[in-house]
């Protein structure tokens, strides 16, 4: 078996060494081994039920596959480049273990529908695993946010101080992004858990396979509807990589924010030594390299998505060997994002927030200009007019170098008689935050409500994931 290819019949000459090396994918697709065996077991058992395999034959095949699984788990499996890919490596090994009956396993099946199934099983597992990491990190965010519903800091637009917000609101903003990411993954399972087995090489098979039975035994609720499409469809990989890309975008934004917050200029957060690295030259440096790498690694995730899209574009039906190139980008993106999630989970666990620095930064009375304008609106002044009045006040404050919280009520009244006597109450960041008591807003009361809601959604999604993946 070792020197004879599975397509040996048609060939007289030997494959050249360079072709063998160039076409082999075993170096990386060996990661699909557990899924390949899972698919073969389901296929073999169905073949027996359909009377295509004798009970004794099926038993031999199943035992052989299980023995191979043990070898692989123990790291004892002899992966061979001349067997090209994981499918032929396992089949060749099955011949060695159980003899000629191994040749019956592949009836009604092609590597084309086989690899499509393996990939779907793999993507399902990684989808579930990454969704679970997202649950964990969101739980951490929520738990930390609970303690920061009164911690005031500046919110920014254009990276300019804009209005005061509470830290919990910030943390829940990331949590919101990750909630969408989780839902995207959950939704995608409807298009992942579809069994292509029975599509054969491209046109189906004349053998009486029970496609639904195979799907059922793999925990896939659906079967594909067109064999030509089924063997060449990698949309579910693109979808997965695009979901991963958005996660990478969100982690990258979050990392960037905390890198800024970690600067001396901001001083809002720092991390224990264990989470940082130093400089080989500058003795004083303690750098947030982990966060920088999370920001940086997003690039390779997008690159992998682009590689996949480019690979698929222009492929005629049905299977083409180009598709073998789908695996490395898929594996790399999944590994990269799950590592980033693990490290970000540590970041949120280890971050030390500097509440005093945040409070000081939020004290800047300029951040309360909108509050002043809205106080005039409450007195019946049109917002555009109020905006102009407060604009002039701000200009005067800058010109005279006198912060607004040092102004007397009568000074404000020079700009508009509508200003009341209690401006000093408005000009406090805590009051400002409290006043933005609208759903989705930053008032501590709203944020506490949002926290309860976030926990509820998290719990719902956990139930949804369990239901979607229960028959794995
Ligand atoms: N290693 C191949 C892949 O990953 C398996 C399918 C090969 N099919 C074929 N007809 N050569 O796509």
């Amino acid at each position: 078996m070792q020197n004879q290819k599975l397509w040996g019949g048609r060939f007289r000459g030997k494959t050249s060494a360079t072709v063998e090396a160039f076409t082999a994918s075993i170096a990386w697709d060996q990661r699909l081994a557990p899924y390949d065996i899972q698919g073969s077991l389901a296929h073999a058992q169905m073949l027996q039920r359909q009377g295509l395999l004798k009970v004794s034959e099926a038993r031999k095949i199943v035992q052989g596959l299980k023995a191979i699984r043990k070898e692989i788990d123990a790291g004892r499996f002899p992966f061979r480049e001349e067997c090209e890919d994981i499918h032929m490596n396992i089949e060749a090994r099955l011949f060695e273990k159980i003899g000629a009956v191994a040749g019956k396993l592949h009836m009604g099946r092609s590597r084309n529908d086989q690899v499509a199934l393996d990939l779907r099983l793999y993507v399902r597992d990684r989808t579930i695993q990454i969704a679970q990491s997202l649950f964990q990190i969101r739980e951490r965010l929520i738990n930390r946010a609970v303690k920061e519903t009164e911690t005031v800091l500046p919110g920014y637009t254009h990276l300019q101080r804009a209005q005061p917000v509470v830290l919990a609101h910030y943390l829940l903003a990331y949590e919101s992004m990750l909630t969408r990411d989780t839902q995207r993954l959950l939704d995608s399972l409807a298009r992942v858990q579809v069994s292509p087995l029975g599509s054969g090489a491209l046109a189906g098979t004349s053998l009486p396979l029970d496609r639904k039975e195979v799907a059922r035994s793999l925990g896939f609720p659906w079967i594909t509807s067109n064999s030509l499409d089924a063997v060449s469809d990698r949309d579910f990989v693109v979808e997965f990589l695009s979901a991963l890309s958005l996660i990478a975008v969100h982690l990258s934004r979050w990392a960037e924010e905390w890198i800024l917050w970690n600067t001396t200029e901001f001083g809002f957060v720092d991390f224990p030594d264990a989470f940082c690295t130093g400089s080989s030259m500058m003795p004083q440096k303690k750098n947030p390299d982990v966060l920088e790498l999370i920001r940086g690694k997003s690039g390779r995730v997008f690159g992998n998505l682009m590689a996949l899209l480019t690979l698929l574009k222009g492929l005629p039906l049905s299977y083409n060997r180009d598709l073998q190139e789908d695996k490395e980008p898929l594996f790399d993106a999944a590994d990269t994002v799950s590592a980033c999630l693990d490290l970000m989970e540590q970041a949120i666990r280890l971050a030390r927030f500097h509440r005093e620095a945040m409070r000081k930064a939020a004290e800047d009375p300029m951040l309360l200009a909108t509050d002043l304008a809205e106080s005039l609106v409450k007195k019946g002044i049109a917002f555009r007019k109020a905006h102009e009045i407060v604009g002039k006040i701000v200009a005067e404050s800058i010109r005279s170098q006198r912060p607004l919280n040092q102004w007397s009520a009568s000074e404000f009244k020079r700009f508009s008689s509508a200003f009341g006597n209690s401006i000093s109450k408005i000009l406090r960041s805590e009051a400002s935050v409290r006043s933005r008591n609208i759903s989705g807003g930053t008032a501590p009361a709203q944020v506490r409500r949002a926290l309860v809601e976030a926990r509820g959604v998290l719990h719902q999604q956990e139930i949804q994931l369990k239901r979607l993946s229960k028959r794995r």
Side-chain angles (χ1 to χ4, degrees), residues 25 29 84-85 87 111-112 115 319 321 323-324 327:
S25 55
D29 71 9
E84 202 176 290
D85 59 19
H87 324 293
R111 277 186 294 155
N112 299 349
V115 72
Y319 179 84
R321 190 60 179 271
L323 291 173
Q324 179 164 291
K327 289 168 202 68

Side-chain angles (χ1 to χ4, degrees), residues 72-91:
I72 292 171
D73 288 348
R76 282 189 286 108
F77 186 90
F79 291 109
R80 289 180 292 232
E81 191 177 73
E82 65 272 22
C83 292
E84 202 176 290
D85 59 19
I86 187 58
H87 324 293
M88 295 204 293
N89 263 273
I90 290 177
E91 196 175 339

Side-chain angles (χ1 to χ4, degrees), residues 133-146 175 345 348 455 458 462:
S133 298
L134 287 167
F135 289 148
Q136 259 186 26
I137 198 166
R138 285 164 56 196
E139 175 119 42
R140 292 253 179 237
L141 275 168
I142 292 171
N143 288 343
R144 292 222 60 176
V146 167
E175 204 275 336
E345 197 261 336
I348 176 71
R455 270 197 213 286
L458 179 58
E462 279 172 334

Side-chain angles (χ1 to χ4, degrees), residues 154-442:
Y156 297 78
T157 60
H158 313 266
L159 214 48
Q160 306 285 321
R161 286 180 185 168
Q163 291 186 297
V165 296
V166 296
L167 178 56
H169 202 47
Y170 248 108
L171 299 179
L172 283 184
Y174 304 128
E175 204 275 336
S176 294
M177 298 178 201
L178 301 183
T179 300
R180 292 195 296 277
D181 291 331
T182 315
Q183 197 59 50
R184 232 185 309 279
L185 289 175
L186 297 183
D187 295 346
S188 74
L189 283 176
R191 287 168 298 283
V192 174
Q193 305 193 95
V194 188
S195 172
L197 275 198
S199 302
L202 76 161
T205 172
S206 64
L207 300 170
L209 305 188
D210 185 344
R211 297 194 57 203
K212 288 197 173 136
E213 174 53 26
V214 174
R216 198 202 50 75
S217 71
L218 292 166
F220 279 12
W222 304 282
I223 59 173
T224 53
S225 56
N226 180 297
S227 60
L228 289 168
D229 177 46
V231 296
S232 56
D233 169 28
R234 297 292 182 271
D235 293 1
F236 64 98
V237 180
V238 171
E239 238 184 288
F240 182 53
L241 294 194
S242 102
L244 294 181
S245 295
L246 272 171
I247 296 173
V249 167
H250 295 150
L251 295 185
S252 177
R253 290 183 61 188
W254 178 1
E256 163 66 6
E257 189 123 60
W258 282 18
I259 291 165
L260 275 174
W261 282 13
N262 186 229
T263 57
T264 311
E265 285 72 9
F266 273 82
F268 289 177
V269 71
D270 78 348
F271 300 91
D273 288 357
F275 197 70
C276 299
T277 48
S279 156
S280 58
M281 182 170 178
M282 299 168 285
Q284 88 284 10
K285 291 298 289 291
K286 179 173 157 185
N287 299 325
D289 297 44
V290 172
L291 296 175
E292 294 165 71
L293 281 167
I294 289 173
R295 184 177 58 189
K297 280 178 190 287
S298 58
R300 61 195 276 173
V301 181
F302 312 154
N304 288 324
L305 171 62
M306 284 309 130
L308 234 289
L309 288 169
T310 312
L311 183 69
L312 296 178
K313 168 200 161 302
L315 282 191
L317 287 171
S318 59
Y319 179 84
N320 296 273
R321 190 60 179 271
D322 314 45
L323 291 173
Q324 179 164 291
E325 290 290 308
D326 57 4
K327 289 168 202 68
E328 283 171 295
L330 167 62
F331 297 159
D332 184 70
D335 292 345
T336 302
V337 168
S338 67
C340 290
L341 284 169
D342 284 352
L343 270 296
M344 210 60 190
E345 197 261 336
Q346 287 190 40
I348 176 71
R349 190 151 38 88
L350 299 173
R352 296 183 293 224
F353 297 125
H354 296 221
R355 294 175 182 157
E356 192 46 32
M358 292 180 179
R359 196 190 55 73
K360 272 219 177 84
E363 250 172 19
D364 178 356
M366 285 301 193
L367 272 65
L368 306 171
T370 315
D371 299 75
L372 279 180
E374 288 186 353
S375 79
L376 292 178
V377 169
K378 285 171 196 158
K379 296 275 168 60
I381 294 179
F383 180 72
R384 279 290 156 242
K385 184 73 197 159
H387 189 286
E388 186 193 328
I389 293 168
V390 178
K392 286 181 179 151
I393 292 174
V394 166
E396 175 56 21
S397 163
I398 294 168
R399 195 201 58 76
S400 63
Q401 294 183 7
R402 288 187 56 239
L404 294 176
N405 51 1
Q406 289 174 17
W407 286 32
S408 67
S410 57
E411 279 174 289
F412 282 108
K413 282 183 184 158
R414 279 217 306 273
F415 288 83
S416 167
S417 57
F419 277 119
N421 288 325
S422 52
I423 299 177
S424 60
K425 279 196 202 131
I426 299 170
L427 285 176
R428 284 179 34 243
S429 52
E430 286 78 11
S432 158
V433 162
R434 229 166 282 288
S435 73
R436 246 163 279 116
N437 195 8
I438 185 164
S439 92
T442 194

